[in-house]
Amino acid sequence: MSTETGTGTSTAPARSADTPFRYGAARADEIERRWQERWAREGTFFAPDPGEPGSEREKVYLLDMFPYPSGSGLHVGHPLGFIGTDVLGRYLRMTGYNVLHAMGFDAFGLPAEQYAVQTGTHPRATTEANIVRYREQLTRLGLAHDPRRSVATTDVDFYRWTQWIFLRIYESWYDDEQRRARPVAELEAEFAAGTRPIPDGRPWAELSVLERRDLIDSFRLAYVSEAPVNWCPGLGTVLANEEVTADGRSERGNFPVFRRNLKQWMMRITAYADRLAADLDRLDWPDSVKAMQRNWIGRSEGARVQFPVVGAPAQIEVFTTRPDTLFGATYMVLAPEHPLVEQIVPGAWPVDTDARWTGGAATPAEAVAAYRAAAARKSELDRQESRDKTGVFTGAMAVNPVDGQAIPVFVADYVLMGYGTGAIMAVPGQDQRDWDFAEAFGLPIIRTVAPPAGWQGEAYTGEGPAINSHNDDVSLDGLDVADAKRLITDWLVGRGAGEAVVQYKLRDWLFSRQRYWGEPFPIVWDEHGPVPLPDDRLPVELPDIADYAPRTYDPDAADTEPEPPLSRATEWVDVELDLGDGPRRYRRETNTMPQWAGSCWYYLRYLDPHDEKFFVDPEIERYWMARDPSRPGDPGGVDLYVGGVEHAVLHLLYARFWHKVLYDLGEVSSEEPFRRLFNQGYIQAYAYTDPRGAYVSAEEVVEDDTSPTGFAWNGTPVAREYGKMGKSLRNVVTPDEMCARYGADTFRLYEMSTGPMEVSRPWSTRDVVGSQRFLQRVWRNLVDEATGETRVSDAEPDDDTLRLLHRTIAGVHADFRALHYNTAAAKLIELNNHLTKAGVAVPRSVAEPLVLMLAPLSPHIAEELWARLGHENTLAHGPFPVADERWLAAESIEYPIQVNGKLRSRVTVAADADREAVQAAALAEARIAETLAGREPRKVIVVPGRLVNVVI
RNA sequence: GCCGGCGUACUCCAACUGGCAGAGAGGCUCGGCUUAGAACCGGGACAGUGCGGGUUCGAAUCCCGCCGCCGGCACCA
């Protein structure tokens, strides 16, 4: 490889005979590859761990949401965030920080498996090929990652520790009193010692071995349960709530999802609902993401109230946020799946039962059975689509505890088993859903909050004084909603009929999938239930099997059963193991973990990627992640996490949950994984369709005034739409193309300069040339295009140049820190334009800071120019210019002069002039004096350094 | 329906705690040079901040009411 410093000769093909040393794509390519090789060779971006030289510097841990290595490679939208973190990391490294920045791959998951099924290759082969391709693409961009720390979730050495963490969660329970997770061994010890009562009241010693096991299992944070889950026949797997869209379809593939009772692995994330919600206040995250998480966790305060059932030894417990409306409860509703339904249904309809209530059935049992069957057949989608109120009377009556009234109990699917207690008291006067149901079934409506005068609506949910709300003992009448809630709750508590509670919408996390390409569980089954494998049996490797395709079904076949591909690996599944009580036969767990598992902790593995003793060494974790005692309430964690907003509730909630468990167990020192989160915008693109609606190649579309749409493709008018970049939309632009046409430095600079990081914006290939021109001008200012000689002068820059230089330095520092790369780039362009216009050789004392400031954005050309300026070492570790205060203050200031807020004139005054002097100068200025014509202004406002406003 | 966010030249975007609406890029246009018809050099034009009020000496910025767009949640009791 030819090295080219000083007056070296070019190997790059030149466009022009006159300017063989011009900066262009070919030269950029040569420079970039050479420097990338050198960085790799010298380990320039290795981040020292505690104890290693360099670790005494202040540390910064920057993190990107690691990509899923898809088969189609990167398009120009993907690296936006990666480049953004890289710019910050390079800037911080140059200013003296120990920066940790690494990149890994989230490589388990559905698409690899689906692609593998289509092509007949093993998912591991396609995944590894994709990772190689991604690494090439990312390396080409000159990202300053520590290459030693790259991990993929599919590496056996990585998922071994994913399994290890699973076991820690499995071996834990949540102590509600101490509000933290603890090992189940401690729970068992408390039961055995009698310091913690056993739910059924018996002493521990009287429990059989299996009873003890069931009891402990019921406390675990990872547990198996038979519960309603989201079954997606089209994908052949069950899904977490977070993976199902609002309209009851799978986020991936858009297949219908059905609620089915299935035995699956769950994680008790609900135990952490309060901490997950409360600790959001301690995070430096975008408000929108915090709002989404709060919304998902769904904390609401209210009361639980018991309603005794007439003639049955049962109570219906409801949750309500409006206990103040209890006097208006005129009926009750149980969810169709509610277990109490069977117990309360009487043998026959009460006399005079309204015909509308029976569903035409002869007995309540028949009516309920028919209704339940119909409800079970409905997909989530059907249930969402029709909001008409349906239901049947159970034949049972319940007693309203506040007034002793017997009210009818219905079953209706507008009440969901998964929220609250699965039962409600219905208050049509103050709830529109109940109002609709009451209208449909002819039920009474009592208002207990007075609506405002002239109220035309139906249910009134707003504020107002309570009415119709008293019994012999207590009266809410006249109280506002908040006071009424307090009073009636106290009254219920006093009567033992209710209690104040906090309710969450969040449900436990469904953690198993019927997939091949995921982490196997470190669990085997004996004839009784699950048995954890000891740590020294890890990793449980994914076996190679011939047929790894998931068993999928007709998307609407709700009654099908999930079938994990691993269940076909019979030799792997049936094992004989000695787990401490002699060799026994076991059956391995054949489900695999969801894709989210690896991403719940990968950021910890970057810290200590090759450790065989720890998932992360505690000392290393403390160095990079610990809480900052100088910041009150700081939870610790990654210093900056950058990624798209699409993971607001999925990955970001799951990772917080795992991290908190690890914190409770003493495995990490930080309470949160990501102390600061930043959502970068998306790069979007135009797509074009021809009159038949088919997408045409966006690159070949031209603006055309003769086309009714303004755009044409091969002479055909095409319609433009704006959105994502995608293969099927035929508008993909790849970083590879951009690097080939302009170079990585130009591409990076373009992406950073079109707008602030958080803003989504359209991709525009033709604009990229602007960034190329700037780099070309910088190059031309420092390198003779004809001879290749570096040309800077040793002359002192003039004062104007020095002022601009130092203003630029100060501004660029602030911009980089604030992630305002677009304005940093603008300031550098401005400085360079100034140097160009000066028309003289650039003074070295200006050229060097310019090159250094450019380095975070366009590192290769900066390194090259730095070397050509005579420096042997990389600029990756600085120096970075520091602004000189003396040159930040202007000598004189031009004050705009406003008259009554309108700009009328200007006056130039010495920078150190005081307020009076500025005022005097302004009033003496010719146009202002003329306007005043001898009158005294009513008022003169002088804003030092800003402007003068004369009020007449 | 509820909760977020955003509206500035033709386009993408600047404007610190209210203080000269314009930093930067593209496009357009004129000229130079010319091998430059998306990579050359130099010059130029183009808006008054979605709409209507209010506060203020002064509002893109703060407040109120609309309009439009984007995102999230949604039979959650």
Side-chain angles (χ1 to χ4, degrees):
Chain A
M1 153 151 280
S2 85
T3 52
E4 234 195 305
T5 50
T7 58
T9 49
S10 172
T11 51
R15 183 170 177 97
S16 157
D18 294 342
T19 56
F21 294 90
R22 173 163 291 171
Y23 180 79
R27 184 163 304 276
D29 187 72
E30 186 275 323
I31 291 170
E32 287 163 8
R33 290 182 190 280
R34 182 151 44 78
W35 280 98
Q36 283 161 13
E37 206 163 279
R38 177 164 166 190
W39 294 330
R41 197 170 57 238
E42 297 181 357
T44 306
F45 306 116
F46 287 9
D49 279 317
E52 295 174 1
S55 64
E56 68 287 350
R57 290 175 292 161
E58 198 176 334
K59 65 86 195 179
V60 178
Y61 184 8
L62 301 178
L63 184 68
D64 300 288
M65 289 187 190
F66 65 165
Y68 176 81
S70 85
S72 37
L74 295 169
H75 65 61
V76 291
H78 293 120
L80 182 69
F82 302 159
I83 297 170
T85 39
D86 187 56
V87 173
L88 183 67
R90 283 178 177 273
Y91 164 75
L92 292 173
R93 194 178 291 108
M94 288 178 79
T95 52
Y97 287 86
N98 180 20
V99 176
L100 175 57
H101 194 195
M103 181 62 73
F105 299 94
D106 188 17
F108 274 128
L110 244 75
E113 189 170 294
Q114 286 168 339
Y115 182 78
V117 170
Q118 280 165 25
T119 59
T121 42
H122 194 279
R124 179 164 294 285
T126 49
T127 301
E128 283 175 359
N130 291 347
I131 289 175
V132 167
R133 168 108 186 85
Y134 266 58
R135 284 217 170 97
E136 277 169 11
Q137 286 188 297
L138 293 170
T139 301
R140 183 70 190 83
L141 298 177
L143 302 174
H145 297 147
D146 184 338
R148 304 168 305 171
R149 299 176 186 266
S150 183
V151 296
T153 54
T154 47
D155 297 340
V156 177
D157 283 343
F158 182 90
Y159 75 67
R160 167 199 173 165
W161 292 107
T162 310
Q163 293 169 337
W164 182 88
I165 295 170
F166 175 86
L167 287 174
R168 296 292 78 72
I169 298 170
Y170 179 80
E171 301 282 14
S172 303
W173 63 292
Y174 199 79
D175 183 337
D176 285 320
E177 276 147 41
Q178 296 189 16
R179 298 187 66 212
R180 67 182 183 94
R182 296 170 60 196
V184 287
E186 295 177 17
L187 177 69
E188 198 169 332
E190 288 183 17
F191 282 142
T195 52
R196 177 174 292 271
I198 289 165
D200 68 7
R202 288 184 294 162
W204 180 256
E206 282 180 21
L207 268 58
S208 71
V209 171
L210 292 181
E211 282 171 331
R212 289 176 181 179
R213 210 171 128 184
D214 285 342
L215 176 62
I216 296 297
D217 283 353
S218 72
F219 277 80
R220 295 179 188 275
L221 290 183
Y223 62 97
V224 176
S225 89
E226 171 121 13
V229 296
N230 305 298
W231 164 235
C232 180
L235 289 174
T237 186
V238 295
L239 297 169
N241 294 328
E242 290 80 359
E243 294 166 312
V244 179
T245 60
D247 58 356
R249 288 177 164 266
S250 62
E251 197 163 58
R252 267 191 198 285
N254 202 32
F255 294 112
V257 168
F258 300 87
R259 298 294 286 180
R260 280 282 304 280
N261 265 316
L262 292 170
K263 201 169 183 182
Q264 295 291 329
W265 282 94
M266 307 291 287
M267 287 231 171
R268 209 177 298 279
I269 191 171
T270 50
Y272 283 83
D274 54 346
R275 281 165 65 189
L276 288 169
D279 285 349
L280 286 169
D281 293 335
R282 298 163 67 191
L283 296 175
D284 181 7
W285 282 23
D287 287 337
S288 59
V289 176
K290 287 190 189 182
M292 279 187 247
Q293 290 216 349
R294 281 202 189 92
N295 195 349
W296 191 262
I297 295 167
R299 182 181 200 276
S300 55
E301 291 181 16
R304 286 194 184 216
V305 186
Q306 335 287 341
F307 287 65
V309 178
V310 176
Q315 300 222 353
I316 298 173
E317 186 176 53
V318 303
F319 171 73
T320 177
T321 55
R322 293 297 302 276
D324 61 301
T325 63
L326 256 166
F327 287 93
T330 55
Y331 66 102
M332 301 188 78
V333 183
L334 299 178
E337 306 88 356
H338 200 292
L340 216 52
V341 175
E342 295 95 352
Q343 298 176 36
I344 63 169
V345 171
W349 296 114
V351 284
D352 295 333
T353 294
D354 191 313
R356 285 171 289 181
W357 297 8
T358 64
T363 66
E366 284 174 30
V368 166
Y371 188 77
R372 286 177 129 187
R377 268 198 308 274
K378 278 191 192 175
S379 71
E380 289 288 297
L381 185 60
D382 299 332
R383 209 160 156 158
Q384 304 275 353
E385 266 175 359
S386 163
R387 300 230 164 157
D388 293 340
K389 295 291 176 288
T390 63
V392 290
F393 181 38
T394 61
M397 304 293 281
V399 180
N400 188 335
V402 295
D403 57 12
Q405 292 281 328
I407 54 178
V409 180
F410 286 77
V411 171
D413 67 0
Y414 81 95
V415 172
L416 310 174
M417 194 58 225
Y419 185 72
T421 61
I424 63 159
M425 64 175 203
V427 186
Q430 272 78 231
D431 185 293
Q432 188 59 43
R433 295 158 298 179
D434 297 344
W435 178 290
D436 294 342
F437 191 88
E439 294 264 279
F441 288 83
L443 289 154
I445 294 169
I446 303 170
R447 288 193 189 276
T448 58
V449 178
W455 173 255
Q456 299 290 319
E458 301 182 331
Y460 175 67
T461 57
E463 295 285 324
I467 51 172
N468 303 323
S469 298
H470 59 272
N471 57 28
D472 294 344
D473 206 33
V474 66
S475 172
L476 308 179
D477 291 343
L479 296 179
D480 66 29
V481 170
D483 288 339
K485 278 183 183 174
R486 259 191 296 276
L487 182 56
I488 196 66
T489 305
D490 289 347
W491 187 85
L492 288 166
V493 171
R495 302 275 300 226
E499 57 183 332
V501 294
V502 175
Q503 183 71 47
Y504 296 94
K505 227 161 67 176
L506 185 69
R507 296 179 222 173
D508 276 343
W509 175 18
L510 174 60
F511 194 70
S512 41
R513 299 290 184 279
Q514 291 72 51
R515 292 282 134 185
Y516 170 72
W517 194 228
E519 299 89 344
F521 281 73
I523 293 284
V524 292
W525 291 73
D526 63 16
E527 50 295 330
H528 187 72
V531 178
L533 291 170
D535 291 353
D536 60 17
R537 296 266 177 183
L538 302 183
V540 178
E541 284 199 54
L542 196 54
D544 268 325
I545 58 174
D547 178 15
Y548 36 74
R551 173 84 187 273
T552 58
Y553 301 90
D554 181 286
D556 293 311
D559 293 333
T560 46
E561 290 289 328
E563 180 193 304
L566 285 181
S567 65
R568 297 172 210 142
T570 47
E571 285 179 22
W572 178 81
V573 171
D574 295 312
V575 283
E576 188 176 88
L577 298 170
D578 183 350
L579 298 180
D581 46 3
R584 292 178 57 186
R585 303 291 302 175
Y586 296 95
R587 201 180 140 73
R588 286 189 192 273
E589 171 63 56
T590 55
N591 285 302
T592 52
M593 299 188 199
Q595 185 173 6
W596 314 106
S599 58
C600 275
W601 77 283
Y602 74 106
Y603 55 93
L604 291 168
R605 195 62 178 172
Y606 284 169
L607 301 178
D608 191 15
H610 306 296
D611 202 318
E612 289 179 11
K613 252 177 80 197
F614 298 105
F615 76 114
V616 57
D617 183 283
E619 190 198 345
I620 297 177
E621 189 273 337
R622 222 176 301 123
Y623 176 81
W624 293 105
M625 302 275 288
R627 285 169 290 188
D628 179 352
S630 71
R631 287 190 282 177
D634 175 48
V638 171
D639 292 297
L640 177 65
Y641 194 25
V642 176
V645 74
E646 71 271 19
H647 292 300
V649 280
L650 290 156
H651 157 58
L652 288 171
L653 194 63
Y654 298 148
R656 292 182 65 214
F657 163 53
W658 275 36
H659 200 93
K660 285 185 178 301
V661 177
L662 292 170
Y663 171 77
D664 287 353
L665 298 176
E667 301 289 350
V668 294
S669 68
S670 40
E671 286 183 69
E672 285 278 343
F674 317 116
R675 56 155 66 85
R676 182 174 174 210
L677 175 72
F678 187 91
N679 292 127
Q680 94 270 5
Y682 297 105
I683 290 198
Q684 302 195 281
Y686 293 105
Y688 302 87
T689 46
D690 69 15
R692 295 170 312 161
Y695 285 98
V696 302
S697 167
E699 209 184 352
E700 294 162 15
V701 171
V702 293
E703 283 184 48
D704 185 346
D705 293 340
T706 65
S707 157
T709 60
F711 300 95
W713 176 74
N714 281 346
T716 321
V718 288
R720 186 167 83 158
E721 57 188 64
Y722 181 58
K724 285 185 174 170
M725 212 172 253
K727 229 178 194 171
S728 59
L729 305 174
R730 304 201 62 190
N731 60 355
V732 171
V733 181
T734 65
D736 313 57
E737 288 170 69
M738 290 302 110
C739 288
R741 281 166 70 174
Y742 301 102
D745 281 335
T746 296
F747 172 66
R748 290 170 57 111
L749 183 68
Y750 169 73
E751 291 225 335
M752 292 301 100
S753 59
T754 49
M757 280 274 284
E758 65 272 23
V759 168
S760 293
R761 56 211 115 135
W763 175 262
S764 173
T765 296
R766 70 177 183 183
D767 291 7
V768 178
V769 65
S771 296
Q772 171 97 97
R773 281 181 192 146
F774 164 58
L775 294 181
Q776 203 168 64
R777 287 172 189 155
V778 172
W779 178 270
R780 184 182 303 123
N781 278 338
L782 303 186
V783 177
D784 190 304
E785 288 185 337
T787 66
E789 265 176 70
T790 306
R791 44 168 197 187
V792 290
S793 81
D794 292 320
E796 271 300 302
D798 60 45
D799 287 2
D800 280 351
T801 303
L802 281 170
R803 273 193 211 97
L804 179 60
L805 171 66
H806 288 276
R807 227 175 335 117
T808 304
I809 294 170
V812 160
H813 271 284
D815 287 344
F816 278 145
R817 280 184 182 283
L819 275 50
H820 293 169
Y821 307 135
N822 54 326
T823 51
K827 289 181 174 84
L828 295 176
I829 292 168
E830 205 181 345
L831 175 61
N832 190 59
N833 286 349
H834 173 86
L835 297 176
T836 306
K837 285 199 175 112
V840 295
V842 177
R844 174 177 286 272
S845 61
V846 181
E848 292 196 339
L850 172 63
V851 166
L852 292 168
M853 288 189 284
L854 181 61
L857 292 162
S858 296
H860 313 87
I861 187 175
E863 288 272 24
E864 179 70 11
L865 290 170
W866 187 242
R868 283 168 179 260
L869 287 166
H871 300 276
E872 280 179 20
N873 291 328
T874 168
L875 50 62
H877 297 92
F880 200 90
V882 177
D884 185 336
E885 285 295 331
R886 283 177 305 159
W887 293 106
L888 289 178
E891 247 180 354
S892 59
I893 299 172
E894 187 186 52
Y895 279 86
I897 310 173
Q898 295 181 339
V899 175
N900 293 341
K902 297 262 183 343
L903 181 66
R904 285 290 178 260
S905 188
R906 312 171 168 276
V907 67
T908 301
V909 182
D912 56 0
D914 61 15
R915 201 176 274 264
E916 286 71 27
V918 174
Q919 176 166 337
L923 294 180
E925 196 278 330
R927 279 198 57 186
I928 301 303
E930 188 186 326
T931 310
L932 282 170
R935 290 172 295 170
E936 272 300 304
R938 293 227 320 260
K939 197 172 174 186
V940 180
I941 290 134
V942 177
V943 184
R946 284 290 181 186
L947 55 46
V948 181
N949 189 11
V950 181
V951 186
I952 304 177

